Amino acid sequence: MLTRPQIRAQARQSLSGNWKPAVLHFLLFMVVSSLINMVTRNIDYIGWWIGILLEAPLGYGIYNHYLDYARGQLPDANGLFRGYKRYKETFILYILSMIFTVLWTLLFIIPGIIAALRYSQAQFLLRDNPSLSPLEAISQSKQLMIGHKWRLFVLNLSFIGWGLLCILTLGIGFLWLGPYYYTSIAHFYEELRAGHNASGNNGYLSQV
């Protein structure tokens, strides 16, 4: 299994020579997300639901946009909005993941964090296996993350220091940290996928 520094090094290698588009794409993502928040935040409960309706596909888009970088591809900015082409699936996936995570969080914070880690690969799986339903993607993400939740948790923690430094730059640094983080997470998924296929399993990941 790859170490955290090795995963991050892979991400930097994938972004080498591609930092400009990767940063500009993340800036576009932040602008769109901010606009959605500005438009909906003052419409009370209805605004909250409108925000979810608009933002749900963006989660699918941002994860898989930087998966392209991890796979040596250079996506255009439209890749951020690919979730809208599969609106039904990406919206349902977003809602189910949110509901399951909230329900576990009601028990305590730690079960909620564990649940979020379990479902973390569902966005990638939904892309690589178009025939999957959102619930199947969540279920298979849980299987894929067996034995790897702590690794992903610590990988996420390793970016906290960078996040604090970005705050000192008045937030500008997040334009670089965002692509770095999402590409690292994509490489984590790629390692899980490769390990699953190498183990001789003939399940969903063999479809990729």
Side-chain angles (χ1 to χ4, degrees):
M1 291 186 293
L2 295 175
T3 64
R4 294 187 302 280
Q6 287 173 328
I7 291 174
R8 293 195 301 266
Q10 285 185 335
R12 292 193 299 271
Q13 183 177 1
S14 295
L15 292 169
S16 178
N18 297 316
W19 278 105
K20 182 178 179 179
V23 169
L24 291 176
H25 294 168
F26 192 72
L27 173 61
L28 176 60
F29 169 76
M30 292 181 66
V31 169
V32 172
S33 296
S34 297
L35 286 175
I36 292 174
N37 182 62
M38 288 174 59
V39 170
T40 60
R41 66 182 176 183
N42 295 321
I43 317 179
D44 300 324
Y45 184 74
I46 296 177
W48 182 74
W49 274 106
I50 293 175
I52 290 178
L53 288 169
L54 295 175
E55 290 182 352
L58 285 177
Y60 176 89
I62 192 69
Y63 277 96
N64 284 293
H65 190 76
Y66 289 98
L67 179 60
D68 285 343
Y69 283 97
R71 291 178 172 174
Q73 304 166 11
L74 185 59
D76 59 32
N78 290 330
L80 291 169
F81 308 105
R82 68 188 72 192
Y84 291 97
K85 295 180 180 179
R86 302 186 64 189
Y87 187 86
K88 179 181 178 181
E89 297 96 327
T90 57
F91 176 73
I92 293 175
L93 177 60
Y94 181 92
I95 292 295
L96 289 177
S97 299
M98 182 177 66
I99 291 174
F100 293 156
T101 301
V102 169
L103 289 176
W104 279 107
T105 303
L106 292 177
L107 297 178
F108 199 62
I109 294 177
I110 293 178
I113 294 174
I114 293 174
L117 294 170
R118 284 176 181 158
Y119 312 146
S120 61
Q121 309 305 302
Q123 303 279 13
F124 299 127
L125 291 166
L126 192 65
R127 167 189 172 163
D128 282 339
N129 302 269
S131 63
L132 288 181
S133 70
L135 188 58
E136 288 172 333
I138 290 174
S139 177
Q140 292 178 359
S141 175
K142 290 165 60 178
Q143 294 297 317
L144 190 62
M145 285 298 293
I146 293 175
H148 299 284
K149 291 183 287 295
W150 177 251
R151 292 182 61 223
L152 180 57
F153 178 72
V154 177
L155 177 62
N156 285 328
L157 286 182
S158 70
F159 286 92
I160 290 180
W162 288 107
L164 294 175
L165 290 176
C166 289
I167 293 175
L168 297 178
T169 67
L170 302 179
I172 297 176
F174 285 108
L175 295 177
W176 282 263
L177 181 60
Y180 183 24
Y181 170 77
Y182 283 108
T183 307
S184 296
I185 297 302
H187 274 291
F188 180 85
Y189 165 72
E190 289 289 81
E191 185 207 345
L192 295 185
R193 182 174 67 88
H196 184 279
N197 289 337
S199 68
N201 292 305
N202 295 317
Y204 52 95
L205 290 178
S206 62
Q207 300 175 31
V208 178

